């Protein structure tokens, strides 16, 4: 029983989150390849989330028949609608940023999520800060270092450290990556930073929704539906070329289907489940893994050279992130010790006998 609980609460979430980071980087790389073929990212968001909503269509019918779940009232739907607005805004900014820069830069700046999560947690009074405490000092210092690293990766591209081989510069014999001067690195970095400011807010709102309505598939279905609607409205305004809405077979269709199934459906469902089980800070811990995966995939499949600015920025972000996590772990350990000490003083010994002592008796 203990082994099963450990597997469900620790091993399974860890494995799932690592897998999702690999999938996310792969989907970003595939999206970059599709946009280099001329696909509109506004159209991409609409179709990808519509595919996910279509796959999850049966979910609300089963949840409405459930006697365990609370009623799906107007208040919950408003919060899911807010979640959809945040999600659609972050997705449009993120895909636009990748289109201007690269998946490697997107993964580097995604490491800002833990720092922004920490800041929002302070604002919403979910984290305690004591200036004289070592753990609080570590969390604040790590946050500053992470933000500084993101600015380095955004504003300083630097010389290429590893040049992409000419054999990997194309798919089907055509160059995928155009001249570097055509991609606005700074604009792309700023858009990606804006995306990863919204992601922690998405985590917090999603966690609150799951407390009120603990059914992952139904919440993700309505979320995907709202994102598709909001992105469709934005796409009709921003995408003036009507031919861009025609989805032709090839890498564009593959990117939409893969992102819809593995991204909008599976990825969002796993993240929602992990947020419900472990909380937003745990989910944010896995973002630094994406930088190494993204660099390798961009180098192999997109012919994207690895630049000095991305390496320095990602290193600073990772150092800052793990400094925040060290402070958080130390703070949690102290709270657990204090709580266990209080319980041992207040509770009768017969009701709080440790498991090992009971086994010996």
């Amino acid at each position: 029983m203990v082994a099963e609980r450990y597997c469900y609460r620790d091993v399974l979430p860890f494995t799932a989150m690592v897998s999702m980071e690999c999938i996310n980087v792969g989907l970003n790389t595939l999206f970059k390849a599709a946009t280099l073929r001329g696909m509109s990212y506004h159209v991409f968001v609409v179709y990808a989330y519509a595919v996910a909503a279509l796959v999850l269509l049966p979910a609300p019918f089963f949840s409405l028949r459930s006697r365990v779940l609370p009623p799906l009232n107007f208040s919950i739907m408003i919060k899911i609608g807010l979640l959809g607005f945040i999600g659609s805004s972050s997705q449009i900014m993120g895909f636009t940023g990748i289109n201007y820069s690269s998946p490697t830069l997107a993964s580097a700046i995604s490491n800002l999520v833990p720092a922004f999560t920490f800041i929002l947690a302070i604002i919403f009074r979910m984290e305690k800060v004591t200036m004289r405490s070592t753990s609080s000092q570590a969390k604040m210092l790590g946050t500053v270092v992470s933000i500084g690293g993101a600015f380095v990766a955004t504003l300083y591209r630097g010389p290429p450290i590893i040049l992409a081989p000419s054999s990997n510069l194309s798919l089907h014999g055509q160059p995928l990556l155009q001249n570097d001067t055509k991609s606005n690195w700074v604009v792309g970095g700023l858009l990606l930073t804006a995306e990863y400011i919204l992601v922690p807010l998405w985590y917090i709102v999603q966690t609150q929704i799951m407390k009120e309505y603990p059914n992952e598939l139904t919440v993700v279905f309505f979320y995907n539906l709202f994102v598709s609607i909001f992105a469709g409205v934005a796409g009709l305004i921003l995408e003036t070329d009507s031919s861009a809405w025609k989805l032709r077979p090839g890498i564009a269709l593959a990117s939409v289907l893969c992102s819809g199934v593995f991204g909008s459906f599976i990825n969002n469902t796993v993240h929602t489940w992990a947020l419900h089980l472990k909380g937003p800070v745990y989910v944010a811990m896995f973002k630094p893994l994406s930088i190494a995966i993204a660099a390798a995939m961009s180098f192999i499949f997109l012919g994207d050279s690895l630049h000095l600015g991305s390496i320095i920025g990602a290193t600073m972000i990772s150092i800052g992130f793990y400094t925040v996590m060290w402070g958080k772990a130390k703070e949690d350990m102290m709270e657990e010790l204090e709580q266990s000490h209080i319980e041992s003083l207040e509770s009768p010994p017969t009701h709080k006998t440790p498991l090992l002592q009971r086994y010996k008796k």
Side-chain angles (χ1 to χ4, degrees), residues 9-22 24-25 107 110-114 117 203 267 270-271 273-275 278-293 318 321-322 325:
R9 292 193 59 86
D10 294 296
V11 177
L12 188 58
F14 179 85
T15 306
M17 292 306 302
V18 172
S19 302
M20 288 305 104
E21 288 304 316
C22 295
N24 283 339
V25 175
S107 295
S110 72
N111 294 325
L112 273 176
V113 170
T117 304
Y203 286 163
N267 181 56
V270 170
H271 274 76
W273 168 73
L275 286 168
K278 305 290 285 186
V281 176
Y282 181 87
V283 174
M285 285 177 61
F286 292 87
K287 284 299 178 183
L289 293 175
S290 61
I291 180 62
I293 304 168
S318 299
F321 163 73
Y322 287 112
M325 289 300 105

Side-chain angles (χ1 to χ4, degrees), residues 150-282:
F151 278 110
V152 170
T154 302
L155 301 176
Y156 174 66
R157 194 175 191 187
I161 301 300
I162 302 177
L163 293 174
S166 58
S167 61
N168 290 333
L169 290 175
S170 63
L171 291 176
H172 306 295
Q174 297 180 10
L176 278 178
L177 192 62
Q178 305 297 328
N179 196 330
D180 288 344
T181 58
K182 295 183 180 180
S183 63
N184 195 323
W185 198 257
V186 175
V187 173
L190 292 175
L191 287 170
L192 290 168
T193 303
E195 176 197 9
Y196 290 114
I197 291 174
L198 292 175
V199 168
L201 185 60
W202 188 92
Y203 286 163
I204 291 173
V205 175
Q206 181 72 302
T207 304
Q208 183 62 36
I209 292 173
M210 291 308 299
K211 290 179 180 178
E212 298 183 25
Y213 194 82
N215 185 276
E216 288 84 358
L217 294 179
T218 300
V219 171
V220 173
F221 164 75
F222 284 109
Y223 165 72
N224 287 326
L225 182 63
F226 279 123
V227 171
S228 183
I229 293 171
F230 289 138
V233 173
L236 290 174
I237 297 172
L238 299 174
E239 186 55 66
T240 56
D241 186 9
S242 59
S243 63
W245 293 90
K246 295 179 181 179
L247 198 59
R248 300 175 180 83
I251 195 169
L253 179 61
S255 179
V256 167
L257 293 177
C258 289
S259 295
V261 175
F262 295 103
S264 303
F265 169 34
I266 297 178
N267 181 56
N268 286 333
T269 303
V270 170
H271 274 76
T272 302
W273 168 73
L275 286 168
H276 187 208
L277 184 68
K278 305 290 285 186
V281 176
Y282 181 87

Side-chain angles (χ1 to χ4, degrees), residues 290-302:
S290 61
I291 180 62
I293 304 168
M297 286 190 174
S298 294
F299 178 76
I300 295 171
F301 297 110
L302 295 180

Side-chain angles (χ1 to χ4, degrees), residues 135-149:
S135 59
S136 294
Q137 292 173 359
K139 291 190 292 184
M140 289 185 289
L141 178 62
T143 301
V144 173
V145 172
S146 294
I147 294 175

